[in-house]
Every structure is written in structure tokens, then in C-alpha cells.
Amino acid sequence: MLGAWMEEWAVTCAPNQLINDLIRHGIDDRELYGAAADQVQEPGLRQVLHENCDALEAVVTDMQLQVAAEGHRPPRHGTLRGWVRRQLAGWLARRGGDGVWIHLLARSEAGYRRMFESGLDRMPQDARRVLQRQQGRLRDLADDMCSLSASQRD
């Protein structure tokens, strides 16, 4: 009897766990964007990073609302790894300038997008809809960071 309950629990919690992981990593990336936007020197870049931070906030909020609508408590903060990465990024950027932020954000955004898209493949259809609504927004963020990263190399 306990085995059947555990299997049912695992099936119903797996999508929420994945969404919660996406929320936590989204919060990490949002906070990384915020830290970068506060520290970069170029005003145009600062504006783009603030806009990307706001777009990522919308993605995270939408997923949090989905988890809450299902009667669960969504994460409200990122991970320890994300905090450490922000601290290290700030230290490196003070020595390397705006290009360091762009490089770190591009890598982080690409990783988040891969995690997001692989999550779509493992989601049940009802949970997948929330993620699919945000997919275009994440592509735009990744495209922004790829463009900025490419312009830094030129």
C-alpha cells in the first residue's frame, strides 16, 4: 500500500519539482542580471540588462503562480550556488569590466534555456503549457546575450 502511494506521489511531484528547480535557477539568473545591471559602466547595456531582469522576473512569477494554483508553495529565493556565482562574478567584473558580465550572463542564460527546454520534454501536458508560454521570452533573452557576447569579441 505504501509503495503505490509513493509511486503516485512521485508522479505528481516530479513536474512540481522540475518547475521549482526552474524557478530557483530563474531567480538566480534574475539576480545575476540585477547585479550586472547595477555594476556595468555602459548606460545602454545597463538598460538592456534591467529589461532582461524584468523579463526574467515575469517568467519566474508565472511559474510561481502555476505552482501556487496547484496548491503547492513555490520557491521565493534562488540557490546557494547562484549566490556564490553572483559574488564571484562581481569580484571578477570589478577587474575585467562589462565584458565579464556579458560573458557570464550569456553562459548562464544558455544553461537556463537548455534546462527549460529539456524540462518541456519531461512535463505532463497541463504543466507544459505554462513553460511553453515563456519559451519565446527566454529565447529573446538568450538572443540578446548572444548578440552582446558576439559584439564583445569583435
PDB file of all heavy atoms in Angstrom, residues 119-131:
ATOM      1  N   GLY A 119      13.194  20.420 -19.782  1.00  0.00           N
ATOM      2  CA  GLY A 119      12.073  20.228 -18.871  1.00  0.00           C
ATOM      3  C   GLY A 119      10.759  20.084 -19.607  1.00  0.00           C
ATOM      4  O   GLY A 119       9.875  19.343 -19.178  1.00  0.00           O
ATOM      5  N   LEU A 120      10.627  20.775 -20.723  1.00  0.00           N
ATOM      6  CA  LEU A 120       9.400  20.664 -21.519  1.00  0.00           C
ATOM      7  C   LEU A 120       9.166  19.230 -21.975  1.00  0.00           C
ATOM      8  O   LEU A 120       8.029  18.765 -22.011  1.00  0.00           O
ATOM      9  CB  LEU A 120       9.466  21.580 -22.740  1.00  0.00           C
ATOM     10  CG  LEU A 120       9.178  23.043 -22.511  1.00  0.00           C
ATOM     11  CD1 LEU A 120       9.464  23.840 -23.778  1.00  0.00           C
ATOM     12  CD2 LEU A 120       7.758  23.263 -22.061  1.00  0.00           C
ATOM     13  N   ASP A 121      10.233  18.549 -22.314  1.00  0.00           N
ATOM     14  CA  ASP A 121      10.110  17.177 -22.800  1.00  0.00           C
ATOM     15  C   ASP A 121       9.619  16.214 -21.721  1.00  0.00           C
ATOM     16  O   ASP A 121       9.043  15.181 -22.041  1.00  0.00           O
ATOM     17  CB  ASP A 121      11.455  16.678 -23.340  1.00  0.00           C
ATOM     18  CG  ASP A 121      11.920  17.480 -24.540  1.00  0.00           C
ATOM     19  OD1 ASP A 121      11.071  18.090 -25.220  1.00  0.00           O
ATOM     20  OD2 ASP A 121      13.139  17.501 -24.795  1.00  0.00           O
ATOM     21  N   ARG A 122       9.872  16.541 -20.467  1.00  0.00           N
ATOM     22  CA  ARG A 122       9.516  15.632 -19.377  1.00  0.00           C
ATOM     23  C   ARG A 122       8.231  16.010 -18.648  1.00  0.00           C
ATOM     24  O   ARG A 122       7.829  15.330 -17.719  1.00  0.00           O
ATOM     25  CB  ARG A 122      10.661  15.588 -18.360  1.00  0.00           C
ATOM     26  CG  ARG A 122      11.932  15.050 -18.971  1.00  0.00           C
ATOM     27  CD  ARG A 122      13.016  15.008 -17.963  1.00  0.00           C
ATOM     28  NE  ARG A 122      13.218  16.358 -17.422  1.00  0.00           N
ATOM     29  CZ  ARG A 122      14.268  16.732 -16.734  1.00  0.00           C
ATOM     30  NH1 ARG A 122      15.200  15.886 -16.466  1.00  0.00           N
ATOM     31  NH2 ARG A 122      14.390  17.955 -16.294  1.00  0.00           N
ATOM     32  N   MET A 123       7.594  17.105 -19.057  1.00  0.00           N
ATOM     33  CA  MET A 123       6.404  17.599 -18.368  1.00  0.00           C
ATOM     34  C   MET A 123       5.125  16.973 -18.895  1.00  0.00           C
ATOM     35  O   MET A 123       5.008  16.746 -20.099  1.00  0.00           O
ATOM     36  CB  MET A 123       6.265  19.111 -18.587  1.00  0.00           C
ATOM     37  CG  MET A 123       7.189  19.931 -17.801  1.00  0.00           C
ATOM     38  SD  MET A 123       6.590  19.973 -16.123  1.00  0.00           S
ATOM     39  CE  MET A 123       8.034  20.561 -15.328  1.00  0.00           C
ATOM     40  N   PRO A 124       4.149  16.751 -18.010  1.00  0.00           N
ATOM     41  CA  PRO A 124       2.822  16.401 -18.498  1.00  0.00           C
ATOM     42  C   PRO A 124       2.233  17.606 -19.242  1.00  0.00           C
ATOM     43  O   PRO A 124       2.653  18.738 -19.020  1.00  0.00           O
ATOM     44  CB  PRO A 124       2.023  16.100 -17.233  1.00  0.00           C
ATOM     45  CG  PRO A 124       2.923  16.281 -16.093  1.00  0.00           C
ATOM     46  CD  PRO A 124       4.245  16.762 -16.577  1.00  0.00           C
ATOM     47  N   GLN A 125       1.280  17.356 -20.099  1.00  0.00           N
ATOM     48  CA  GLN A 125       0.735  18.405 -20.972  1.00  0.00           C
ATOM     49  C   GLN A 125       0.226  19.622 -20.210  1.00  0.00           C
ATOM     50  O   GLN A 125       0.490  20.748 -20.611  1.00  0.00           O
ATOM     51  CB  GLN A 125      -0.391  17.827 -21.846  1.00  0.00           C
ATOM     52  CG  GLN A 125      -0.840  18.759 -22.943  1.00  0.00           C
ATOM     53  CD  GLN A 125       0.269  19.127 -23.914  1.00  0.00           C
ATOM     54  OE1 GLN A 125       1.113  18.316 -24.253  1.00  0.00           O
ATOM     55  NE2 GLN A 125       0.293  20.365 -24.352  1.00  0.00           N
ATOM     56  N   ASP A 126      -0.490  19.433 -19.100  1.00  0.00           N
ATOM     57  CA  ASP A 126      -1.048  20.585 -18.382  1.00  0.00           C
ATOM     58  C   ASP A 126       0.057  21.471 -17.799  1.00  0.00           C
ATOM     59  O   ASP A 126      -0.041  22.691 -17.837  1.00  0.00           O
ATOM     60  CB  ASP A 126      -2.033  20.150 -17.301  1.00  0.00           C
ATOM     61  CG  ASP A 126      -1.416  19.198 -16.294  1.00  0.00           C
ATOM     62  OD1 ASP A 126      -0.479  18.464 -16.654  1.00  0.00           O
ATOM     63  OD2 ASP A 126      -1.885  19.194 -15.141  1.00  0.00           O
ATOM     64  N   ALA A 127       1.124  20.886 -17.285  1.00  0.00           N
ATOM     65  CA  ALA A 127       2.235  21.675 -16.739  1.00  0.00           C
ATOM     66  C   ALA A 127       3.069  22.284 -17.859  1.00  0.00           C
ATOM     67  O   ALA A 127       3.657  23.348 -17.698  1.00  0.00           O
ATOM     68  CB  ALA A 127       3.104  20.805 -15.846  1.00  0.00           C
ATOM     69  N   ARG A 128       3.101  21.644 -18.989  1.00  0.00           N
ATOM     70  CA  ARG A 128       3.896  22.106 -20.126  1.00  0.00           C
ATOM     71  C   ARG A 128       3.398  23.443 -20.664  1.00  0.00           C
ATOM     72  O   ARG A 128       4.184  24.259 -21.138  1.00  0.00           O
ATOM     73  CB  ARG A 128       3.856  21.045 -21.218  1.00  0.00           C
ATOM     74  CG  ARG A 128       4.818  21.289 -22.336  1.00  0.00           C
ATOM     75  CD  ARG A 128       4.776  20.190 -23.349  1.00  0.00           C
ATOM     76  NE  ARG A 128       5.105  18.931 -22.706  1.00  0.00           N
ATOM     77  CZ  ARG A 128       4.953  17.761 -23.274  1.00  0.00           C
ATOM     78  NH1 ARG A 128       4.478  17.667 -24.483  1.00  0.00           N
ATOM     79  NH2 ARG A 128       5.282  16.661 -22.630  1.00  0.00           N
ATOM     80  N   ARG A 129       2.109  23.693 -20.579  1.00  0.00           N
ATOM     81  CA  ARG A 129       1.547  24.931 -21.134  1.00  0.00           C
ATOM     82  C   ARG A 129       2.177  26.176 -20.517  1.00  0.00           C
ATOM     83  O   ARG A 129       2.451  27.150 -21.210  1.00  0.00           O
ATOM     84  CB  ARG A 129       0.035  24.951 -20.955  1.00  0.00           C
ATOM     85  CG  ARG A 129      -0.699  24.081 -21.936  1.00  0.00           C
ATOM     86  CD  ARG A 129      -2.192  24.340 -21.895  1.00  0.00           C
ATOM     87  NE  ARG A 129      -2.793  23.906 -20.659  1.00  0.00           N
ATOM     88  CZ  ARG A 129      -3.279  22.685 -20.441  1.00  0.00           C
ATOM     89  NH1 ARG A 129      -3.240  21.791 -21.398  1.00  0.00           N
ATOM     90  NH2 ARG A 129      -3.825  22.368 -19.295  1.00  0.00           N
ATOM     91  N   VAL A 130       2.382  26.156 -19.212  1.00  0.00           N
ATOM     92  CA  VAL A 130       2.981  27.317 -18.549  1.00  0.00           C
ATOM     93  C   VAL A 130       4.381  27.564 -19.080  1.00  0.00           C
ATOM     94  O   VAL A 130       4.753  28.697 -19.371  1.00  0.00           O
ATOM     95  CB  VAL A 130       3.034  27.100 -17.015  1.00  0.00           C
ATOM     96  CG1 VAL A 130       3.851  28.163 -16.334  1.00  0.00           C
ATOM     97  CG2 VAL A 130       1.635  27.074 -16.455  1.00  0.00           C
ATOM     98  N   LEU A 131       5.150  26.501 -19.225  1.00  0.00           N
ATOM     99  CA  LEU A 131       6.515  26.653 -19.709  1.00  0.00           C
ATOM    100  C   LEU A 131       6.538  27.098 -21.169  1.00  0.00           C
ATOM    101  O   LEU A 131       7.372  27.918 -21.558  1.00  0.00           O
ATOM    102  CB  LEU A 131       7.288  25.351 -19.533  1.00  0.00           C
ATOM    103  CG  LEU A 131       7.441  24.857 -18.099  1.00  0.00           C
ATOM    104  CD1 LEU A 131       8.249  23.576 -18.068  1.00  0.00           C
ATOM    105  CD2 LEU A 131       8.066  25.896 -17.207  1.00  0.00           C
TER     106      LEU A 131
END
